[in-house]
Amino acid sequence: MKRYDTQTLALCAVLTALALALSYMEGMIPIPVPLPGFKLGLANIVTLFALDFLGAAPAFIILIARCVLGALFAGNASALIFSLIGGVLALAVMALLRRTRLLSVYGVSIGGAAAHNLGQVFAAMITLGTAAPLAYLPALLIVALFTGALTGFITSLLFRAMRNTKMRPKQKGLS
Amino acid sequence: MKNKELTLRPRGWDAIVVAAVLLAALLTGACIFGKASDKSLDCVISVDGKEYTRVALADVPESGETITVGHGYSVTIEITPDAVWVASATCPDQYCVRTGKISTAGRSIVCLPSRVVVELEASEGQTDFDIVSG
């Protein structure tokens, strides 16, 4: 078991709260496209940030905590499977893409958004027991290009802002 | 280490991710909607705005089925499991014959002089999955 120092632990807690707030806030933004499962994926900003700043393991913990707490607050158990499958798939793809060292935040973010939407479609197929939700996949993938670019842009702003603080990434061969 | 951080500006390699996602969208789109066309379709024939008959393409024999309808002029419609077309019509403009074969949901053949509309509709009874959202 890896031990985290106080700063990392506090940062994880703050990021979990931020991710929760973002995914809650997202529900209040009206979306003009009538596409089920279409979300901006603002919480993905936190995942991507945590992945790069803290490493894959803390990012995973934050993700799980966000999904479980989010489902708990929303009182919606079926939302848990959607956000878990989508979130874990997004994290896995982003961790892989990041390791290639070839991509910028934008590429990683777009890959993550696409993986997230793919996971949502899978979750819908599992809960409904039919392949019908697949029909939404092409549209959701196209949409992921834009939402991914948007979250990538916001994440890049976040990283720029973080450079002006005293906090520095803890990169000791993580991920 | 600084060099472990992600680049903040878009790089050329990002285009590969974009291309991959686009390709995946196109491929899944082609698979799903290519398959959807040979899924259960209904051929709906209306005369004078009223539904005259509804034939499920799946129930049509391989040799095809011929239906002759019309209001004033008569239109002979051929229905096979794969496609629907107007084989002949006594109307003066023959637009319906020249429309040719239709085979996907939403396509239609219209013959104005005889007031015949032939439409292909996706059959009822598909699962409603719009009610669930994550």
Side-chain angles (χ1 to χ4, degrees):
Chain A
M1 186 72 196
K2 205 178 134 53
R3 292 185 67 93
Y4 295 117
D5 59 26
T6 319
Q7 192 193 345
T8 310
L9 208 57
L11 195 55
C12 282
V14 169
L15 286 175
T16 305
L18 182 62
L20 258 177
L22 281 175
S23 53
Y24 179 69
M25 205 182 83
E26 196 172 63
M28 298 196 288
I29 301 172
I31 286 163
V33 188
L35 209 54
F38 173 32
K39 287 179 176 176
L40 287 177
L42 293 179
N44 234 21
I45 297 169
V46 174
T47 308
L48 181 52
F49 178 79
L51 181 67
D52 204 52
F53 204 79
L54 297 168
F60 184 71
I61 295 168
I62 292 169
L63 175 75
I64 300 294
R66 187 251 295 176
C67 291
V68 171
L69 289 174
L72 209 61
F73 289 158
N76 188 348
S78 82
L80 180 64
I81 183 167
F82 281 83
S83 57
L84 263 184
I85 295 181
V88 169
L89 207 58
L91 175 61
V93 167
M94 290 198 295
L96 276 176
L97 289 179
R98 187 181 164 278
R99 290 191 83 162
T100 63
R101 299 256 178 280
L102 297 170
L103 302 164
S104 73
V105 250
Y106 291 92
V108 175
S109 176
I110 288 171
H116 182 266
N117 288 355
L118 186 69
Q120 298 263 334
V121 171
F122 276 150
M125 283 166 69
I126 292 168
T127 47
L128 293 168
T130 152
L134 263 183
Y136 286 113
L137 189 57
L140 283 173
L141 284 178
I142 301 285
V143 158
L145 291 178
F146 297 98
T147 57
L150 176 73
T151 52
F153 173 67
I154 298 173
T155 314
S156 77
L157 293 183
L158 190 59
F159 278 122
R160 286 209 178 92
M162 286 306 281
R163 280 184 186 160
N164 298 327
T165 69
K166 280 181 186 161
M167 282 197 223
R168 284 285 170 259
K170 306 239 181 290
Q171 296 288 358
K172 289 168 206 136
L174 273 175
S175 73
Chain B
M1 293 292 287
K2 271 281 176 208
N3 64 348
K4 285 216 163 191
E5 280 181 69
L6 281 168
T7 326
L8 299 188
R9 288 177 190 288
R11 294 174 71 177
W13 293 99
D14 291 340
I16 292 179
V17 176
V18 174
V21 173
L22 265 179
L23 192 70
L26 287 178
L27 280 179
T28 51
C31 284
I32 291 156
F33 295 107
K35 211 188 275 174
S37 65
D38 59 49
K39 219 167 57 179
S40 47
L41 286 174
D42 282 354
C43 173
V44 183
I45 300 170
S46 345
V47 183
D48 225 355
K50 290 182 207 85
E51 187 171 315
Y52 172 80
T53 184
R54 177 183 284 265
V55 183
L57 292 198
D59 300 340
V60 174
E62 203 63 46
S63 53
E65 198 175 312
T66 310
I67 296 174
T68 306
V69 286
H71 184 103
Y73 301 100
S74 75
V75 177
T76 306
I77 301 152
E78 286 283 343
I79 304 170
T80 67
D82 306 315
V84 177
W85 69 97
V86 173
S88 67
T90 57
C91 61
D93 58 23
Q94 299 287 307
Y95 278 126
C96 47
V97 180
R98 281 188 272 153
T99 304
K101 295 185 178 183
I102 57 171
S103 55
T104 50
R107 295 286 310 272
S108 59
I109 304 172
V110 180
C111 180
L112 280 181
S114 60
R115 299 185 198 172
V116 171
V117 178
V118 182
E119 274 178 293
L120 282 181
E121 280 180 9
S123 303
E124 303 286 326
Q126 283 165 342
T127 327
D128 185 12
F129 47 84
D130 287 341
I131 44 166
V132 182
S133 70

